[in-house]
């Protein structure tokens, strides 16, 4: 019956679209159900031809673009069916198109960027531009830590308040998941753990030399009041008399400004000292120089404003005046060219901005009066409220319109960096919106350097492609190519394909593959424009060249589904999920399980999706994951909390991280306020390299804590994970003072152990872990503690004690302890026993790539090579197997093969260690030019890497000078 059901589904071939990264089209479900067509779609008859799919669109997720297909819904929806929207269709899938810089030769481009960084040394403004370029290059690598490090470097070298404001806000935006409070006021004073580079006051008011004062301005004592201006002229008193007057407390009034019915008393010499025009007015050849009363009724200032000017002229301060008065004084200072007074007004008004409302009320006046600090502070309030602030029409009008950009430019607050950040946020929020288009147009207007033009034009092409404006998209991509961005050829080909010129698109991809070294993305793109065996051959080569591309796996999996090879389809899509947690791949596998009627596995994958993205919508954005789980309730076994704990133990011991995530998510649906479960969820997400989701779960754990000592522990982990080790230790100690707990002692031990410790200090960490195990906890956590104790004992060369700890951990199902015990066997010269220990881990663990890699250390050469080949098959992103194989080939004097092995990995994973090793190989072969290039590329990734710096110096002395 199931086969008949699937046959009926497939026979309908009604294509459905999807949103976000849910990139599959489906045949309509409805076995035995009557269907009726809507729009131009087909109905329930299998004899009707399916409607053609409309233009496909582009969406963004995690910085890359993918093509979901969003045709109008047709066919039936079966609400209680496990397949309410049918099955995927291979022909409707399309791969991602990166909306970032993607050089054809990324190693050479990184090397060139390093050379630009070296030549700009000492020029902070130029260095800031170089680091922004590196940020654009690194987006294609997908390394969040590398991106953050580059953003910090750009912020350090930002010389003006505007760039500091933009980059500080960008850093804060990228770290938003790490905050205790997810929505702090935009300009709130820093906490003790806020990075200095993100401080709002440091961004606006810091000096031009970054790093001079390491103290956050929010925690710095207020500066002494400035000295008043020195009078330039005196009409009748001697210098000695003036000095005597300055020493006294009485004010001298020898000039009155008449404003309406009021007179404002001033001191002529103090007013004259404010600017050259006022000095000329009061002491030059004008009639006012002979008067002691001057009419200022028509000069646009009120008596109160003039009293503020007088007070500043005597004391150099603008104390206790409201904003409207300061704004009057600002206008006065511009009219009479009073630079010092203008700076004081600018500074005072900037300090009055506390949020978006204040910024909106002051930004227009700041722009009119060219008050740079005030405008920068208002801009900062908008940027620190992104993306929410872009929904405010007044903010959007200023930031998105050409007129707004011109006004900001006049005030010194428009730049490529600003619109790069704004367009980045807008594309992440909604790539199709008019706001995104307008911001990218402003980005193009600000682009001056070649890389800036390439990026802006390419991104505009991507957005137009997403909006279905294919002719415009093609034009923008062609402009990007003209600026030197060859990856945009893929965009031109895609746009031509959408316009019906499939053969032209195919020829274009053939051309680029003939002109440049073929890459995985080239074969992937060309596969769109061919069919049958040629398409499958291109996809196979794409995977060989770049196994991290997910589209080939997805296409092959759906193609197998259409051939009724469901188990093979699951196996194919599981290959990518073994090393890459991607929600759309999990969703696809869930559909396969639904087709197999393996509802338990389907629910597991849906729960894992909801852990990564709680708002994820299944089936073309038509159904929330929780709703699908509810539909499947009748098909899966229901567990109470005790059952869930047993299931969690089993999956944890099997090293089944996705299964463990699913169980924890199910437990949280029953107990959403359980902070301990949230914490475990964050640990699993960290293990799966899902940093942002992990920090979100950890913050939820902190916010849902019912007890103070628990909250302190979770705050400590947040601090530790964001680089605040000492503050984390302080939180652990506070928690222990309130109540001894496993997690508090474990945090303390973990933070203390994160250092190079002598034996005595290391053993004190063991004592902390023993105290942790003396507190109430479950065996999952205690097993981790015993495992950590074993690692410390190994470091202290106490192997018997280490073995005892590992065995205890194994007895309570902490399977990863096999790896530690294998290490103990190896150190005791029991290599065969070590190999056997790792073999036991491989038998049990569902995620076993790291186990194969580790076992390779304990086998003979052929066994090691076999294990490393398996590790690469399971997880091609692991770099050690490539380095090992390359080293073996070099030992065998197979130099070209060794270089080829490393180059194969570098082509899809630009890794520091791989580049360093290849540079060393080139150097040993006498190819100093290639060695120098690889060193430069590696140093672009990490300019402080000591071994590469040494090799770079060596290679630089041998290489021929570059032209």
């Amino acid at each position: 019956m199931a086969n008949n059901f699937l046959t009926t589904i497939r026979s309908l071939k009604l294509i459905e679209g999807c949103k976000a990264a849910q990139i599959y089209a489906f045949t309509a479900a409805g076995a035995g159900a009557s269907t009726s067509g809507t729009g131009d779609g087909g109905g329930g008859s299998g004899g009707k031809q399916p409607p053609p799919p409309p233009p496909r669109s582009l969406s963004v997720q995690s910085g890359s673009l993918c093509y979901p297909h969003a045709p109008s819904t047709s066919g039936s929806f079966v609400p209680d069916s496990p397949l309410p929207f049918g099955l995927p269709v291979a022909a409707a899938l399309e791969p991602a198109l990166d909306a970032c810089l993607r050089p054809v030769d990324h190693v050479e481009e990184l090397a060139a960027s390093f050379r630009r960084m070296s030549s700009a040394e000492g020029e902070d403004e130029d260095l800031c531009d170089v680091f922004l370029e590196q940020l654009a290059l690194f987006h294609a690598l997908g390394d969040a830590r590398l991106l953050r490090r580059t953003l910090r470097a750009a912020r350090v070298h930002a010389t003006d308040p505007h760039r500091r404001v933009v980059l500080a806000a960008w850093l804060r935006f990228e770290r938003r998941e790490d905050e205790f409070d997810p929505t702090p006021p935009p300009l709130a004073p820093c906490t003790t753990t806020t990075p200095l580079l993100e401080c709002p006051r440091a961004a606006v008011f810091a000096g031009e030399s970054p790093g001079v004062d390491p103290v956050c301005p929010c925690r710095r004592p207020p500066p002494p009041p400035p000295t008043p201006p020195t009078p330039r002229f005196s009409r009748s008193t001697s210098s000695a008399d003036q000095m005597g007057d300055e020493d006294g407390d009485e004010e001298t009034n020898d000039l009155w400004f008449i404003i309406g019915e009021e007179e404002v008393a001033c001191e002529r010499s103090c007013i004259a000292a404010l600017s050259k025009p006022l000095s000329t007015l009061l002491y030059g050849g004008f009639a006012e120089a002979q008067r002691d009363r001057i009419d200022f009724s028509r000069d646009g200032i009120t008596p109160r404003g003039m009293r503020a000017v007088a007070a500043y002229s005597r004391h150099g301060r603008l104390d206790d005046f409201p904003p409207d008065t300061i704004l009057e004084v600002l206008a006065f200072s511009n009219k009479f060219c009073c630079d010092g007074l203008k700076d004081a007004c600018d500074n005072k008004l900037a300090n009055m901005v506390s949020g978006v409302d204040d910024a909106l009320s002051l930004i227009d006046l700041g722009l009119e009066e060219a008050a740079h600090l005030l405008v920068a502070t208002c801009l900062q309030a908008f940027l620190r409220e992104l993306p929410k602030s872009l929904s405010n029409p007044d903010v959007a009008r200023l930031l998105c319109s050409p007129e707004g950009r011109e006004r900001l430019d006049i005030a010194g607050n428009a730049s490529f960096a600003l619109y790069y950040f704004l367009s980045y946020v807008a594309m992440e929020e909604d790539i199709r919106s008019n706001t995104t288009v307008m911001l990218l147009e402003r980005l193009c207007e600000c682009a001056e350097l070649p890389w800036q033009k390439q990026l802006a034009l390419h991104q505009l092409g991507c957005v137009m492609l997403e909006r279905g404006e294919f002719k415009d998209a093609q034009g923008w991509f062609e402009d990007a190519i003209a600026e030197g961005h060859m990856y945009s050829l893929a965009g031109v080909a895609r746009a031509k394909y959408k316009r019906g010129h499939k053969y032209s698109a195919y020829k274009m991809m053939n051309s680029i593959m003939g002109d440049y070294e073929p890459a995985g993305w080239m074969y992937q793109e060309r596969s769109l424009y061919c069919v049958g065996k040629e398409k499958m051959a291109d996809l196979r080569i794409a995977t060989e060249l770049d196994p991290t591309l997910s589209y080939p796996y997805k296409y092959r999996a759906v193609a197998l589904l259409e051939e009724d090879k469901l188990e093979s389809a699951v196996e194919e899509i599981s290959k990518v999920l073994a090393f890459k947690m991607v929600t759309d791949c999990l969703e696809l596998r869930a559909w396969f399980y639904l087709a197999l009627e393996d509802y338990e596995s389907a629910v597991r994958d849906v729960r894992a999706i909801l852990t990564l993205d709680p708002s994820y919508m299944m089936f073309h954005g038509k159904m929330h994951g929780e709703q699908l789980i509810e539909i499947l309730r009748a098909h899966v076994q229901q567990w109470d909390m005790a059952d869930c704990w047993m299931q969690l133990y089993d999956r944890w011991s099997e090293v089944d991280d996705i299964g463990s995530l699913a169980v924890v998510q199910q437990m949280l649906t029953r107990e959403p306020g359980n902070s301990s479960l949230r914490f475990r969820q964050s640990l699993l997400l960290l293990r799966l390299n899902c940093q942002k989701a992990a920090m979100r779960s950890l913050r939820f754990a902190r916010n849902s804590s019912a007890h103070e000592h628990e909250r302190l522990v979770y705050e400590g982990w947040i601090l530790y994970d964001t680089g605040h080790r000492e503050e984390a230790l302080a939180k652990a100690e506070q928690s222990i003072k309130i109540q001894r707990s496993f997690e508090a002692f474990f945090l303390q031990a973990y933070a203390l152990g994160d250092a190079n410790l002598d034996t005595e200090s290391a053993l004190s960490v063991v004592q902390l872990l023993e105290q942790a195990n003396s507190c109430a906890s479950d065996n999952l956590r205690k097993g981790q503690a015993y495992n950590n104790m074993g690692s410390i004992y190994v470091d202290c060369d106490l192997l018997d004690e280490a073995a005892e700890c590992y065995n205890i951990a194994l007895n309570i199902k902490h399977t990863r302890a096999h790896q530690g015990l294998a290490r103990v066997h190896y150190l005791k010269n029991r290599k065969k026993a070590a190999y056997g220990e790792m073999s036991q881990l491989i038998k049990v663990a569902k995620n076993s790539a790291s186990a194969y890699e580790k076992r390779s250390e304990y086998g003979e050469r052929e066994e090691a090579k076999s294990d490393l080949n398996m590790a690469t098959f399971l997880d091609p992103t692991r770099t050690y197997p490539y380095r090992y194989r390359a080293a073996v080939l070099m030992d065998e004097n197979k130099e070209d093969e060794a270089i080829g092995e490393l180059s194969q990995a570098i082509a899809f994973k630009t890794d520091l260690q791989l580049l360093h090793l290849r540079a060393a190989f080139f150097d040993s072969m006498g190819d100093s030019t290639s060695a120098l290039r690889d060193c430069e590329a590696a140093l672009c990734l990490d300019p402080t890497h000591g071994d590469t710096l040494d090799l770079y110096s060596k290679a630089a002395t041998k290489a021929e000078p570059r032209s």
Side-chain angles (χ1 to χ4, degrees):
M1 182 168 178
N3 289 335
N4 292 334
F5 175 62
L6 294 177
T7 302
T8 304
I9 289 172
R10 294 189 185 105
S11 68
L12 295 176
K13 294 290 182 185
L14 301 176
I15 297 176
E16 270 286 10
C18 60
K19 298 179 181 178
Q22 301 145 66
I23 62 174
Y24 313 105
F26 311 93
T27 52
S34 175
T35 59
S36 61
T38 58
D40 61 353
S45 171
K48 287 191 177 182
Q49 291 296 319
R56 295 158 180 123
S57 57
L58 189 72
S59 75
V60 168
Q61 186 173 34
S62 303
S64 69
L65 299 170
C66 58
Y67 287 80
H69 311 275
S72 59
T73 301
S74 58
S76 64
F77 164 62
V78 186
D80 295 325
S81 167
L83 284 166
F85 293 96
L87 292 171
V89 176
L93 301 179
E94 287 185 8
L97 190 69
D98 291 336
C100 58
L101 288 184
R102 187 169 186 135
V104 175
D105 186 347
H106 60 288
V107 173
E108 178 55 44
E109 197 62 37
L110 290 174
S113 181
F114 174 76
R115 293 194 292 272
R116 287 190 286 273
M117 181 173 65
S118 299
S119 63
E121 199 68 43
E123 300 292 333
D124 282 328
E125 186 172 351
D126 292 340
L127 275 172
C128 185
D129 285 332
V130 170
F131 285 121
L132 281 174
E133 178 188 9
Q134 289 183 4
L135 180 69
L137 288 171
F138 292 162
H139 267 294
L141 305 182
D143 187 332
R145 287 173 294 183
L146 194 58
L147 291 171
R148 184 160 180 80
R149 194 210 74 201
T150 308
L151 262 180
R152 283 199 298 265
R155 165 65 182 86
V156 165
H157 293 283
T159 55
D160 57 281
H162 168 71
R163 284 196 182 193
R164 291 198 296 264
V165 159
V166 172
L167 295 169
W170 199 337
L171 281 167
R172 184 175 183 265
F173 179 81
E174 293 294 346
R175 202 179 58 85
R176 60 195 183 279
E177 295 291 356
D178 304 347
E179 297 281 1
F180 293 159
D181 178 5
T183 56
L187 301 181
C190 296
T191 65
T192 56
T193 58
T194 302
L196 175 60
L197 293 178
E198 296 177 28
C199 173
R201 287 189 56 80
V204 177
F205 302 106
E208 293 193 4
S209 299
V212 171
D213 189 353
V215 179
C216 175
C218 297
R219 297 187 289 275
R220 193 185 302 154
T227 56
T230 304
R232 299 185 185 181
F233 299 95
S234 176
R235 177 177 290 178
S236 59
T237 56
S238 67
S239 298
D241 291 337
Q242 290 182 44
M243 291 176 64
D245 290 343
E246 287 173 11
D247 292 337
D249 293 330
E250 295 184 3
E251 293 180 346
T252 303
N253 298 324
D254 56 1
L255 178 66
W256 288 263
F257 287 98
I258 301 171
I259 302 172
E261 301 295 326
E262 295 188 45
E263 293 185 352
V264 179
C266 303
E267 187 170 350
R268 182 181 294 268
S269 60
C270 291
I271 295 293
L274 292 175
S275 71
K276 188 172 182 179
L278 286 173
S279 174
T280 303
L281 176 71
L282 298 177
Y283 286 106
F286 294 95
E288 284 80 0
Q290 308 302 319
R291 299 174 182 168
D292 55 10
R293 282 174 170 74
I294 300 174
D295 188 0
F296 258 32
S297 298
R298 299 179 181 177
D299 285 274
I301 192 167
T302 64
R304 186 171 188 176
M306 197 64 215
R307 279 192 285 273
V309 173
Y312 177 82
S313 72
R314 298 178 195 270
H315 309 297
R317 299 191 303 273
L318 286 169
D319 296 334
D320 302 325
F321 289 102
D324 56 341
T325 301
I326 305 297
L327 287 167
E328 282 185 47
V329 177
L330 176 63
F332 176 91
S333 68
N334 272 329
K335 185 172 185 178
F336 291 99
C337 304
C338 307
D339 293 339
L341 178 58
K342 178 179 179 179
D343 290 344
C345 292
D346 197 3
N347 198 308
K348 182 80 172 178
L349 288 166
N351 276 291
M352 291 178 176
V353 179
S354 60
V356 171
D357 291 339
D358 291 337
L360 284 171
S361 66
L362 293 171
I363 184 80
D364 287 334
L365 291 167
L367 289 167
E368 289 172 12
E369 301 297 342
H372 302 313
L373 289 183
L374 173 59
V375 174
T377 307
C378 294
L379 188 61
Q380 181 168 234
F382 302 149
L383 296 180
R384 287 174 174 252
E385 282 283 279
L386 289 173
K388 178 183 174 182
S389 57
L390 282 176
S391 62
N392 185 305
D394 295 324
V395 175
R397 190 178 304 112
L398 174 67
L399 296 179
C400 300
S401 68
E403 298 77 17
R405 189 196 70 81
E406 289 176 7
R407 295 180 70 198
L408 288 170
D409 194 23
I410 292 170
N413 277 278
S415 66
F416 182 86
L418 170 64
Y419 289 102
Y420 186 13
F421 177 34
L422 287 169
S423 59
Y424 169 78
V425 174
M427 289 177 74
E428 188 177 273
E429 189 71 8
D430 181 4
I431 194 171
R432 298 184 184 89
S433 69
N434 291 333
T435 297
T436 301
V437 174
M438 289 189 288
L439 287 172
L440 285 171
E441 289 172 345
R442 305 293 80 74
L443 186 68
C444 283
E445 293 167 2
C446 292
E448 297 177 354
L449 300 174
W451 73 266
Q452 295 174 346
K453 295 176 182 178
Q454 292 172 22
L455 177 66
L457 293 166
H458 178 72
Q459 288 187 331
L460 259 173
C462 291
V463 170
M464 292 303 173
L465 200 63
E466 161 67 8
R467 289 161 64 96
E469 301 172 27
F470 304 128
K471 185 175 180 180
D472 289 342
Q474 182 176 333
W476 290 116
F477 285 131
E478 287 170 346
D479 290 344
I481 294 166
E483 294 294 336
H485 191 239
M486 292 300 105
Y487 177 69
S488 293
L489 281 165
V492 174
R494 193 74 66 91
K496 286 186 173 184
Y497 172 62
K498 298 293 185 180
R499 299 177 67 195
H501 306 301
K502 185 175 180 179
Y503 183 61
S504 178
Y506 180 83
K507 287 198 301 182
M508 178 162 283
M509 291 313 301
N510 270 344
S511 172
I512 190 174
M513 291 165 72
D515 295 340
Y516 298 95
E517 184 73 22
W521 64 265
M522 298 178 188
Y523 282 95
Q524 175 179 267
E525 187 67 25
R526 192 176 71 173
S527 72
L528 285 176
Y529 316 128
C530 51
V531 295
K533 292 182 179 179
E534 188 179 357
K535 184 182 190 78
M536 299 306 289
D538 275 357
L539 291 174
R540 176 180 53 79
I541 297 172
T543 299
E544 290 172 359
L545 294 175
D546 186 352
T548 65
L549 295 172
S550 58
Y551 168 72
Y553 299 96
K554 290 186 279 191
Y555 185 90
R556 287 190 294 262
V558 178
L560 288 166
L561 173 73
E562 292 179 339
E563 296 172 5
D564 282 335
K565 299 176 181 177
L566 293 176
E567 291 83 0
S568 298
V570 170
E571 184 180 346
E572 182 66 27
I573 199 63
S574 295
K575 290 178 184 176
V576 70
L577 289 170
F579 62 88
K580 190 174 173 182
M581 280 287 284
V582 191
T583 50
D584 57 343
C585 291
L586 279 168
E587 182 183 10
L588 185 56
R589 190 170 71 174
W591 284 329
F592 295 163
Y593 283 130
L594 290 175
L596 281 167
E597 299 185 1
D598 183 355
Y599 302 123
E600 298 281 358
S601 297
V603 168
R604 177 202 63 201
D605 283 353
V606 174
R607 290 194 183 280
I609 290 169
L610 293 173
T611 302
L612 296 172
D613 183 358
S615 61
Y616 195 87
M617 301 293 289
M618 308 279 291
F619 305 132
H620 335 300
K622 301 279 179 64
M623 178 182 288
H624 192 276
E626 290 288 1
Q627 187 179 350
L628 178 60
I629 291 172
E630 186 63 30
I631 289 174
L632 296 174
R633 279 180 64 87
H635 301 275
V636 298
Q637 184 178 356
Q638 299 303 306
W639 300 331
D640 58 21
M641 286 299 285
D643 295 327
C644 286
W645 276 110
M646 293 299 295
Q647 292 293 330
L648 183 58
Y649 270 96
D650 290 341
R651 283 157 177 71
W652 197 282
S653 65
E654 293 171 356
V655 197
D656 179 7
D657 293 331
I658 293 178
S660 299
L661 269 184
V663 175
V664 172
Q665 197 274 344
Q666 180 175 355
M667 296 167 81
L668 282 168
T669 59
R670 292 174 177 270
E671 298 182 7
N674 190 321
S675 59
S676 175
L677 288 173
R678 286 287 183 191
F679 178 60
R680 291 168 193 280
Q681 188 180 65
S682 73
L683 296 176
L684 286 164
L685 288 166
L686 280 175
R687 188 179 294 166
L688 290 164
N689 202 28
C690 302
Q691 178 73 25
K692 287 191 176 182
M695 294 308 295
R696 182 179 64 240
S697 293
L698 192 51
R699 193 181 69 237
F700 284 159
R702 181 257 184 191
N703 293 342
S704 60
S705 298
H707 305 288
E708 177 71 7
H709 70 277
E710 287 181 355
R711 184 180 61 79
L712 288 167
V713 169
Y714 301 140
E715 287 181 1
W717 278 114
I718 292 173
L719 291 168
Y720 178 82
D721 288 339
T722 53
H724 300 282
R725 178 173 170 271
E726 296 301 323
E727 291 86 348
L729 281 169
K731 292 285 185 182
E733 290 169 3
Q734 291 177 44
S735 178
I736 291 169
K737 287 179 181 177
I738 297 172
Q739 181 171 325
R740 292 164 55 90
S741 68
F742 175 92
E743 294 300 349
F745 281 117
F746 190 91
L747 168 61
Q748 193 174 34
Y750 199 92
L752 287 172
D754 185 18
N756 294 322
L757 303 177
D758 55 30
T759 300
E760 183 178 352
S761 301
L763 293 177
S764 68
V765 174
V766 170
Q767 291 176 355
L768 288 172
L769 290 170
E770 288 174 342
Q771 291 189 65
N773 277 338
S774 69
C775 301
S777 185
D778 58 79
N779 284 344
L780 294 177
R781 297 296 287 148
K782 290 192 174 186
Q784 184 65 62
Y786 279 115
N787 193 68
N788 289 9
M789 289 164 64
S791 299
I792 296 170
Y793 279 132
V794 168
D795 292 340
C796 296
D797 202 27
L798 299 171
L799 301 183
D800 291 338
E801 289 83 351
E804 182 181 353
C805 289
Y806 287 131
N807 281 316
I808 294 173
L810 287 171
N811 287 336
I812 53 179
K813 290 192 173 184
H814 190 80
T815 311
R816 286 181 171 85
H818 280 297
Q819 184 169 315
L821 194 54
R823 183 70 177 163
V824 171
H825 287 312
Y826 179 74
L827 292 173
K828 288 185 173 184
N829 295 318
R830 298 200 294 258
K831 191 174 179 181
K832 188 174 181 179
Y835 187 88
E837 198 69 42
M838 290 307 300
S839 298
Q840 292 185 53
L841 176 57
I842 289 169
K843 287 178 183 177
V844 176
K846 287 189 178 294
N847 301 325
S848 56
S850 63
Y852 277 106
E853 183 178 298
K854 194 67 180 175
R855 191 175 72 170
S856 70
E857 298 178 19
Y858 309 133
E860 301 303 325
R861 173 168 285 199
E862 290 306 314
E863 292 174 323
K865 288 169 69 174
S866 175
D867 279 349
L868 291 175
N869 288 338
M870 179 57 73
T872 298
F873 174 77
L874 294 173
D875 183 356
T877 64
R878 304 184 76 87
T879 61
Y880 172 73
Y882 298 97
R883 289 185 280 128
Y884 177 89
R885 288 189 292 262
V888 170
L889 289 166
M890 283 296 285
D891 288 344
E892 297 171 352
N893 294 319
K894 298 177 181 178
E895 296 175 340
D896 292 339
E897 290 91 334
I899 294 295
E901 180 71 27
L902 294 174
S903 299
Q904 177 189 352
I906 291 170
F908 64 86
K909 187 175 177 67
T910 312
D911 177 77
L912 173 66
Q913 297 293 339
L914 291 171
L915 286 166
H916 172 79
L917 185 58
R918 192 172 72 170
F921 286 177
F922 277 130
D923 184 66
S924 69
M925 295 162 59
D927 188 350
S928 299
T929 301
S930 297
L932 192 64
R933 178 206 60 204
D934 281 358
C935 284
E936 289 168 340
L939 291 171
C940 186
L941 300 176
D942 183 1
T944 64
H945 192 254
D947 291 342
T948 304
L949 285 168
D950 294 341
L951 183 58
Y952 175 66
S953 300
K954 179 182 174 184
T957 60
K958 300 178 184 178
E960 296 180 5
R962 290 186 174 91
S963 58

